[in-house]
Amino acid sequence: MTTEETRWARGAYRGYDVRLPAEPDLELTQVDAGTPGGEYHRRFWFPVALASQLGKFPVPIRILGEDLVVFRDGEGRVGLVHKACAHRRASLEFGRIEQRGIRCCYHGWHFDVDGTILETPGEPESSNVRHSICQPAYPTREVKGLIFAYMGPPDQVPEFPYLDSFDLPDHELIPYSIHSPCNWLQETENAIDPFHSVFLHGRVNGPQFPGLEHFVELPVVNYVQRDGAIVYSHARRVGDLVMLRFHDYLMPNLAQNGGMFQKFEQPRFFGRTSLTKWVVPIDNTNSRKFGWRHFNNKDEVLRLGNRDDVGWEKVDFYGQTAHRSMEKRQSDPGDWDVWVSQGPIAIHSREYLGKTDEGIAMLRRKLRRDIRAVARGEKIAQVGGTAQNPYPTYGGDTVLRVAKSNDDEGLMKALQKQVAEIYFAHDHLKGEERSAKIKAALGDAFPDSKT
Ligand code: FES
Ligand SMILES: [Fe+2]
């Protein structure tokens, strides 16, 4: 065969012949009520609004394919109810917020934040309707500027996922939220793919994140599966330093990573996260990230963060929103551009997963197992905690001084496992004590890295 014929046989210039499968993986991507994925998502607490959105008028939102309004009543309580009024389905976005609950503008029905009817003013006193039905409502919880909701069966409310990272000393948490016109899983998968940083944020477009220039090196990656979570790390060598970046991935859509605006010039132990973020499904083809940007001088060595650039539809690092010109997006694409470009719902059967997609494949398997477990009526593992007893997380950076070995890849893998074990061994401790003991144990294990 000629070279031309060989290439043609492999598929070169054969675009015409390709007939791509059209169906998305509905089991993993659908979120509507009554679908397997929708039921799965309805087993978790997650953010649905920023507290700063709540003001004089009810705020219409869409979550898991349901149209809702969220509001804060005169007593300061947050209500989350179906947008369509139980009476004749006028929109409660035109309702009046009362001292207690909300009143529909159309015929004055008055609902408490839990959906119970307080008043049906046009109905006769003898009417029983206010005792026999409710406006559909969900429980909420407000934490540090985010409004969380639980939209699942009322008899299966899980423990709230209160993480240690909510209360790190010296961390200032600024809430933010950004829309993506695509299925929730696409942005979520970006968070478990450390290899995209090498190319998107480095080799292809040039460095996009100050201080993370060495991310152009392919990392050695280690994944640890735990109940309701995947803890993964990636390691790279810079001279005699090995930088280990740990990430938390908590099912189904919560991620924490290492520090922004870093500089890796000396060893460092157990740095903490710069982001805590949930990718919340709006519906099957839209999602909205809610989270906190952590500001802390110790974990952000270069101090390039900007609090003023964090909030509604904005965050202070590169390429995270739609709000750039197409020319800018094409000349220097960011994370947002790529996960949205995968389509309204990425069709997995059209992909060719490779070595760089180990985390993606692991996440999809775990997700599918859990979705099927919920469908069978089983309880699934999920993280929970309280302010007094928070769930320990690991997102952040440790930098060690370790001489290069002949099998440096093997060494970096072993270092990640060793550091992860040291982290996990202190799960029973809390706050400053946990942090101090982890740092002391790392100092004992790596005396050359003590600063
Ligand atoms: S439609 Fe809401 S009170 Fe009639
Ligand atoms: Fe990225």
Side-chain angles (χ1 to χ4, degrees):
M1 266 201 281
T2 65
T3 314
E4 274 302 299
E5 283 168 342
T6 310
R7 284 163 57 186
W8 195 79
R10 259 196 353 242
Y13 290 129
R14 298 271 299 257
Y16 172 80
D17 296 336
V18 174
R19 296 291 178 270
L20 294 169
E23 271 295 294
D25 188 335
L26 296 177
E27 188 175 38
L28 297 190
T29 55
Q30 265 185 323
V31 299
D32 305 306
T35 65
E39 281 307 299
Y40 168 73
H41 282 280
R42 286 168 174 79
R43 296 300 182 278
F44 294 88
W45 284 97
F46 47 77
V48 298
L50 302 184
S52 59
Q53 291 178 268
L54 307 184
K56 189 173 173 193
F57 301 113
V59 180
I61 60 173
R62 189 167 160 80
I63 303 287
L64 300 182
E66 296 186 27
D67 288 311
L68 309 162
V69 293
V70 59
F71 59 94
R72 189 193 300 283
D73 76 2
E75 293 181 2
R77 301 172 308 159
V78 175
L80 179 67
V81 300
H82 279 200
K83 190 165 93 167
C85 172
H87 177 219
R88 283 184 42 227
R89 307 195 68 74
S91 173
L92 288 175
E93 71 191 295
F94 302 112
R96 183 178 301 277
I97 297 174
E98 300 274 342
Q99 182 63 17
R100 257 184 97 179
I102 189 169
R103 187 184 297 277
C104 179
C105 69
Y106 205 12
H107 311 94
W109 285 27
H110 181 190
F111 307 106
D112 207 345
V113 292
D114 65 0
T116 53
I117 300 178
L118 299 170
E119 216 187 346
T120 51
E123 298 303 303
E125 199 42 48
S126 58
S127 167
N128 201 35
V129 69
R130 67 183 181 279
H131 303 302
S132 56
I133 61 161
C134 282
Q135 179 68 13
Y138 297 112
T140 64
R141 190 160 159 180
E142 187 169 353
V143 182
K144 297 181 188 289
L146 294 180
I147 307 296
F148 291 79
Y150 168 71
M151 294 172 62
D155 59 346
Q156 294 181 42
V157 185
E159 195 175 6
F160 189 82
Y162 204 105
L163 313 182
D164 67 327
S165 51
F166 293 9
D167 292 311
L168 292 173
D170 309 326
H171 276 224
E172 184 189 356
L173 270 51
I174 313 260
Y176 74 106
S177 180
I178 296 166
H179 173 240
S180 290
C182 63
N183 187 261
W184 72 281
L185 191 54
Q186 284 150 239
E187 179 177 353
T188 296
E189 288 179 342
N190 175 274
I192 203 161
D193 169 16
F195 290 96
H196 84 270
S197 302
V198 176
F199 301 97
L200 179 68
H201 305 316
R203 290 188 194 177
V204 179
N205 303 304
Q208 294 182 336
F209 295 107
L212 298 183
E213 290 79 5
H214 62 284
F215 271 29
V216 293
E217 300 301 325
L218 278 170
V220 179
V221 183
N222 189 54
Y223 295 89
V224 183
Q225 294 209 50
R226 310 188 93 203
D227 281 349
I230 299 171
V231 178
Y232 79 93
S233 52
H234 39 114
R236 293 173 178 85
R237 175 174 290 287
V238 186
D240 65 343
L241 298 178
V242 175
M243 182 225 167
L244 307 159
R245 170 160 286 207
F246 279 79
H247 295 246
D248 299 294
Y249 187 95
L250 307 182
M251 302 297 284
N253 56 358
L254 167 53
Q256 296 190 137
N257 60 347
M260 298 292 300
F261 308 126
Q262 291 288 356
K263 200 169 182 133
F264 297 100
E265 290 182 328
Q266 54 190 15
R268 191 142 57 91
F269 293 154
F270 197 45
R272 304 308 307 266
T273 188
S274 56
L275 292 169
T276 302
K277 56 191 168 82
W278 289 257
V279 182
V280 176
I282 292 176
D283 52 31
N284 296 330
T285 54
N286 288 277
S287 56
R288 184 166 270 291
K289 172 167 47 208
F290 288 97
W292 295 294
R293 178 77 171 82
H294 293 238
F295 285 90
N296 172 270
N297 287 342
K298 268 186 282 175
D299 289 317
E300 296 207 349
V301 180
L302 295 177
R303 301 192 190 158
L304 292 172
N306 182 356
R307 290 160 176 76
D308 294 339
D309 279 346
V310 180
W312 185 252
E313 285 297 321
K314 59 182 184 178
V315 73
D316 63 334
F317 56 97
Y318 193 79
Q320 301 302 304
T321 74
H323 314 300
R324 297 194 301 152
S325 71
M326 194 57 185
E327 188 182 347
K328 189 80 188 120
R329 292 174 57 205
Q330 284 188 282
S331 59
D332 200 2
D335 286 303
W336 190 94
D337 303 299
V338 290
W339 66 59
V340 172
S341 77
Q342 290 173 304
I345 306 181
I347 297 171
H348 299 165
S349 52
R350 293 179 179 179
E351 300 171 341
Y352 296 95
L353 296 191
K355 185 176 181 312
T356 60
D357 307 303
E358 186 184 349
I360 309 288
M362 181 184 294
L363 172 63
R364 290 180 186 173
R365 282 195 302 274
K366 197 171 174 74
L367 196 54
R368 197 180 305 283
R369 270 200 307 273
D370 282 355
I371 288 171
R372 289 182 180 174
V374 169
R376 287 193 300 269
E378 295 168 15
K379 202 166 158 37
I380 47 167
Q382 53 179 298
V383 309
T386 62
Q388 293 70 37
N389 194 23
Y391 179 85
T393 62
Y394 315 93
D397 305 303
T398 282
V399 183
L400 303 175
R401 190 183 304 283
V402 184
K404 197 165 180 175
S405 101
N406 291 336
D407 175 17
D408 213 41
E409 200 175 314
L411 173 65
M412 286 198 274
K413 188 91 172 174
L415 288 172
Q416 290 178 85
K417 290 185 178 173
Q418 189 180 356
V419 171
E421 284 309 317
I422 290 173
Y423 286 1
F424 298 156
H426 296 83
D427 281 356
H428 59 291
L429 300 175
K430 297 194 280 269
E432 275 300 272
E433 187 190 5
R434 172 173 172 249
S435 181
K437 291 259 168 74
I438 286 176
K439 287 176 182 171
L442 288 169
D444 292 344
F446 305 101
D448 292 347
S449 303
K450 279 189 187 170
T451 50

